[in-house]
């Protein structure tokens, strides 16, 4: 009795599910039948109305701007973002560098240094009308802060032009060099790349040298945005100047501007346009070959072109709507047109194939009824495929990575627009093409009517791709040796894929993976890796919310640990606290100091620190931020 009841309940559930499925299917078929009937009777009205709405959706394209913030590829809520925000508030950036790398067989020659001086003078004299370098640069010691070999000769034109090879090498190999411009320690190895030394360890040759110009960033967000826009205009002339000097001199010069993203993403977008156009042409040729036959009556060049245009409108509409909603466009979105194009072409084939598969009796009906029947069946298929694609990318839109989340939303909206445009504009174009064929008008020049005596050749009506798979590919695939070869190849490919998956390593380099390989910024990055291979990745330690005087032993312990760790480059650890202690022992009365070399009185500690930052410790001024309400300091 229990089994009978269970069986009855199961049957009732299956019947209910079947009934619901039938109801949904009938409702959708009825909807698409009515839509097809409307489009079939009013094709031009459909094209005009939907076209105007699509153009309106594309208005948001006017706001198109590539988001270059690398944090969009960092998971939301991660410690990295929290720490970055804390550092931004505690240590607001005072400047950014405009970077130039000069490459030559040997940069330590009078000729190269003179060409560097010429480039330096040209950069300093760049003006946009509204701003020049003097108004943009970061001022340090009443002069623009610059890091360059030319510092060693104070950028003095007469001194540099009088230098000999021996003078240059003697200066470069001087121990404990100090910049006469900023009184900071000048580490030659940080500035030179591709260094060669003699048996005594003296530098004799170098393949590259860097020149860095500090541009101010502004105190608040509004001021920073204002300066950023001004820098962009200045950097256009900066790039032109560098490129011109590179072509005129014997040196190869590359650059990395402070607002480099505006160039890299712009190059990406501009570089994708030829690829996009080539992809559209290839897709158009393929669609033309598959949708129609090669004769005057049955080819579908115009229909295929309308289909590709519908896909383009969907991409423009999807991007426009998302931008109007406040979503951000990043470099990943360059893949959007290619992805949507594949989905749209598949739906185009479904619609045309469905019409081709209408029965001979159905093809005798008027065009409106044929369109209704076509969309009734095709609408269900493209709805299912569109919904699965939308669901897939919709699920991806809940990812915690903002850049990927934005990309998934853009794709989801674009797929929805593809579905709308193909059910309306493309279907209307198919109706017009059917009317043309029914009136026996030329498919290329519609004003020409073909006579009743014209009959398409049998060859033109053949589907050669289908014949290939039917008569050539399938018979060969069914042979036993080929079956064995396919099975073995499959096993090998699966094995290689498993090994590759196991050894998969996650790595993200914004410049390498998100910029054009041939862009100047990517070239600069590769040159830096080539000439400065031992630099590695810099690491900054930020410390706050502690009493630095009374807990200075912790700062000493941190420095000692970092200084002795084998994982850091020897001599690369710098600390304002350590350098401050050396300065105290060299300049202050020893009777006022504790055994650890620091003053007994906390007041003296902070007073001397201010004095140190104003004199020999100028290069550490960025690393310390005093709070007005307390005696604490924050240290990098």
């Amino acid at each position: 009795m229990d089994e009978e009841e269970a069986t009855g309940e199961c049957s009732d559930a299956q019947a209910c599910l079947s009934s619901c499925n039938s109801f949904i299917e009938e409702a959708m078929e009825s909807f698409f039948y009515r839509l097809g009937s409307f489009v079939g009777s009013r094709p031009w009205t459909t094209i005009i109305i939907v076209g105007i709405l699509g153009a309106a959706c594309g208005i948001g394209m006017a706001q198109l701007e590539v988001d270059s913030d690398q944090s969009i590829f960092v998971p939301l809520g991660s410690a990295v973002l929290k720490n970055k925000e804390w550092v931004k508030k505690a240590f607001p950036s005072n400047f950014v560098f405009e970077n130039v790398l000069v490459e030559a067989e040997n940069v330590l020659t009078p000729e190269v240094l003179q060409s560097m001086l010429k480039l330096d003078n040209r950069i300093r004299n760049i003006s946009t009308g509204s701003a020049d370098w003097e108004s943009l640069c970061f001022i340090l010691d009443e002069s623009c802060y610059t890091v360059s070999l030319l510092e060693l000769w104070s950028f003095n034109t007469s001194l540099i032009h009088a230098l000999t090879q021996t003078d240059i090498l003697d200066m470069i190999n001087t121990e404990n060099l100090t910049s006469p411009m900023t009184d900071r320690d000048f580490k030659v190895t940080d500035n030179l790349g591709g260094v060669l030394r003699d048996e005594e360890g003296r530098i004799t040759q170098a393949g590259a040298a860097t020149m860095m110009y500090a541009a101010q960033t502004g105190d608040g967000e509004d001021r920073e945005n204002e300066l950023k826009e001004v820098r962009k205009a200045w950097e256009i002339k900066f790039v032109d100047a560098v490129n011109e000097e590179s072509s005129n001199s014997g040196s190869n010069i590359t650059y990395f501007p402070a607002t480099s993203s505006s160039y890299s993403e712009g190059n990406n977008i501009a570089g994708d346009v030829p690829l996009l156009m080539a992809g559209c042409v290839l897709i158009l040729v393929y669609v033309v070959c598959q949708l129609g036959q090669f004769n005057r009556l049955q080819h579908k060049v115009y229909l295929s072109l309308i289909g590709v245009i519908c896909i383009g409108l969907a991409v423009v509409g999807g991007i426009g709507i998302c931008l109007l909603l406040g979503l951000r466009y990043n470099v990943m979105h360059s893949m959007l047109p290619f992805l949507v194009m594949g989905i749209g072409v598949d739906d185009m084939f479904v619609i045309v194939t469905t019409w081709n598969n209408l029965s001979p009796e159905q093809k005798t009906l008027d065009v409106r009824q044929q369109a209704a029947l076509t969309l009734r069946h095709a609408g269900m298929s493209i709805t299912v495929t569109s919904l699965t694609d939308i669901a897939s990318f919709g699920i991806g839109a809940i990812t915690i990575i903002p850049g990927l989340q934005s990309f998934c939303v853009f794709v989801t909206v674009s797929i929805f627009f593809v579905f709308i445009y193909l059910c309306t504009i493309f279907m209307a174009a198919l109706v017009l093409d059917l009317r043309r064929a029914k009136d026996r008008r030329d498919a290329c020049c519609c004003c020409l009517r073909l006579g009743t005596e014209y009959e398409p050749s049998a060859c033109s009506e053949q589907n050669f791709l289908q014949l290939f798979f039917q008569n050539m590919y399938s018979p060969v695939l069914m042979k036993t040796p080929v079956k064995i070869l396919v099975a073995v190849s499959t096993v090998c490919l699966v094995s290689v894929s498993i090994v590759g998956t196991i050894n998969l390593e996650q790595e993200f380099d914004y410049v390498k993976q998100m910029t054009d390989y041939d862009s100047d910024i990517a070239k600069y990055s590769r040159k830096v890796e080539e000439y400065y291979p031992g630099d590695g990745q810099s690491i900054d330690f930020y410390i706050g919310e502690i009493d630095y005087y009374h807990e200075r032993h912790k700062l000493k312990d941190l420095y000692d640990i970092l200084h002795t760790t084998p994982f850091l480059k020897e001599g690369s650890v710098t600390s304002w606290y350590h350098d401050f202690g050396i300065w105290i022992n060299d300049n202050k009365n020893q009777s006022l100091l504790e055994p650890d070399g620091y003053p007994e009185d906390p007041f003296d500690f902070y007073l001397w620190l201010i004095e140190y930052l104003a004199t020999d410790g100028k290069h550490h001024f960025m690393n310390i931020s005093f709070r007005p309400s307390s005696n604490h300091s924050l240290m990098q």
Side-chain angles (χ1 to χ4, degrees), residues 53-71:
L53 293 176
C57 293
I59 293 177
M61 287 288 290
Q63 302 179 11
L64 180 62
E65 183 177 352
V66 180
D67 188 354
S68 59
D69 188 357
Q70 300 183 28
S71 63

Side-chain angles (χ1 to χ4, degrees), residues 22 80 89 163 216 229 267 288 303 339 398 441 464 485-486 519:
S22 299
V80 173
K89 292 180 179 179
L163 290 174
Q216 57 180 305
E229 291 302 318
N267 289 337
V288 169
L303 179 64
L339 181 61
I398 64 176
R441 294 184 180 276
F464 293 102
L485 178 62
V486 170
S519 67

Side-chain angles (χ1 to χ4, degrees), residues 51-223:
I52 292 175
L53 293 176
C57 293
I59 293 177
M61 287 288 290
Q63 302 179 11
L64 180 62
E65 183 177 352
V66 180
D67 188 354
S68 59
D69 188 357
Q70 300 183 28
S71 63
I72 62 176
F73 299 104
V74 180
L76 293 171
S78 66
V80 173
L81 293 179
K82 294 179 181 178
N83 293 338
K84 181 180 178 181
E85 188 63 25
W86 182 87
V87 170
K88 185 177 180 181
K89 292 180 179 179
F91 296 88
S93 176
N94 295 309
F95 62 83
V96 290
F97 276 120
E98 308 283 352
N99 300 274
V100 177
L101 187 145
V102 179
E103 178 187 8
E105 183 177 351
N106 183 14
V107 296
L108 302 179
T109 62
E111 294 77 16
V112 175
L113 259 62
Q114 291 169 18
S115 67
M116 290 173 60
L117 178 64
K118 182 180 179 182
L119 174 60
D120 177 81
N121 290 331
R122 182 164 182 174
I123 290 175
R124 294 175 186 272
N125 291 323
I126 293 175
S127 175
T128 63
S130 60
D132 55 18
W133 180 239
E134 293 292 334
S135 63
L136 288 175
C137 73
F138 179 79
I139 302 298
L140 181 63
D141 286 341
E142 300 181 353
S143 62
C144 292
Y145 181 31
T146 305
V147 180
S148 169
L149 279 180
L150 305 178
E151 281 185 82
L152 300 177
W153 297 276
S154 302
F155 297 91
N156 188 295
T157 301
S158 58
L159 283 178
I160 293 175
H161 279 277
L163 290 174
T164 65
Q165 183 80 32
T166 302
D167 295 333
I168 296 172
L169 294 180
D170 288 343
M171 176 64 79
I172 294 298
N173 288 285
T174 302
E175 295 184 1
N176 301 320
L177 277 175
T178 301
S179 169
M181 303 293 294
T182 60
D183 291 330
R184 65 177 176 84
D185 295 337
F186 192 95
K187 296 183 179 180
V188 174
T189 53
D190 290 343
N191 194 268
L192 295 177
V195 174
L196 295 180
R197 299 176 182 270
D198 58 17
E199 295 179 354
E200 299 178 356
R202 286 172 52 88
I203 296 175
T204 59
Q205 185 175 335
T210 56
M211 303 169 65
M212 297 185 291
Y213 299 84
Q216 57 180 305
T217 58
D219 298 331
E221 183 176 352
D222 293 339
R223 176 59 176 164

Side-chain angles (χ1 to χ4, degrees), residues 346-367:
D346 181 67
D347 291 344
M348 289 166 54
F349 284 140
V350 171
I351 293 174
V352 176
T353 302
T354 301
W355 177 80
N356 290 332
N357 291 337
L358 292 178
S359 66
E361 293 79 10
Q362 292 173 330
K363 287 189 177 182
T364 60
L365 301 173
D366 60 52
V367 174

Side-chain angles (χ1 to χ4, degrees), residues 465-483:
L465 187 61
Q466 180 179 350
L467 292 176
F468 167 77
F469 282 104
Q470 178 179 330
N471 300 330
M472 299 180 64
Y473 182 78
S474 297
V476 172
L477 188 62
M478 292 298 103
K479 296 181 181 296
T480 301
V482 177
K483 291 180 181 179

